[in-house]
Amino acid sequence: MPNYTFLCPACGEFTLLLNMTRDNKQSTACPTCNTIAKRVFKPPITLRMDSKVKKRIENGMKPRVVKKENMPKKPYKKSAVSRPWQAGH
């Protein structure tokens, strides 16, 4: 069952185990004071992960800049088909 963390404005953070897929996962009532609490999104725990995997997750969405001179050189390959509109059989 997944754990969901919510933040109550009066009581603070609390965690619920929601096992149904139809439950509201964006907000819920606080179990202590019954006020509406919004969901808090936290990153996955990466403390015990391999350093290479951890670095890959942290840099996952960062775009990489590649210069033209650093691109792999591929030799130009002439097509074996004399008529390019036909499939080579």
Side-chain angles (χ1 to χ4, degrees):
M1 284 190 296
N3 295 336
Y4 294 98
T5 304
F6 296 92
L7 180 64
C8 174
C11 304
E13 285 188 1
F14 61 94
T15 303
L16 291 178
L17 300 172
L18 299 176
N19 58 359
M20 293 185 64
T21 57
R22 290 186 220 141
D23 288 341
N24 184 6
K25 296 177 184 81
Q26 301 305 318
S27 62
T28 189
C30 175
T32 307
C33 63
N34 285 334
T35 59
I36 299 296
K38 291 187 177 185
R39 185 171 170 196
V40 178
F41 293 94
K42 293 187 174 188
I45 298 172
T46 59
L47 295 175
R48 293 183 222 134
M49 284 187 173
D50 182 39
S51 62
K52 291 179 183 177
V53 175
K54 183 177 177 180
K55 189 174 181 180
R56 179 76 174 162
I57 291 172
E58 290 172 353
N59 295 334
M61 296 305 290
K62 192 187 309 181
R64 297 182 187 142
V65 178
V66 179
K67 295 182 180 180
K68 186 176 181 179
E69 56 267 8
N70 296 337
M71 294 290 291
K73 307 264 190 274
K74 291 184 180 178
Y76 178 72
K77 188 176 179 184
K78 189 175 179 182
S79 68
V81 180
S82 61
R83 299 178 199 164
W85 59 89
Q86 289 183 331
H89 298 285

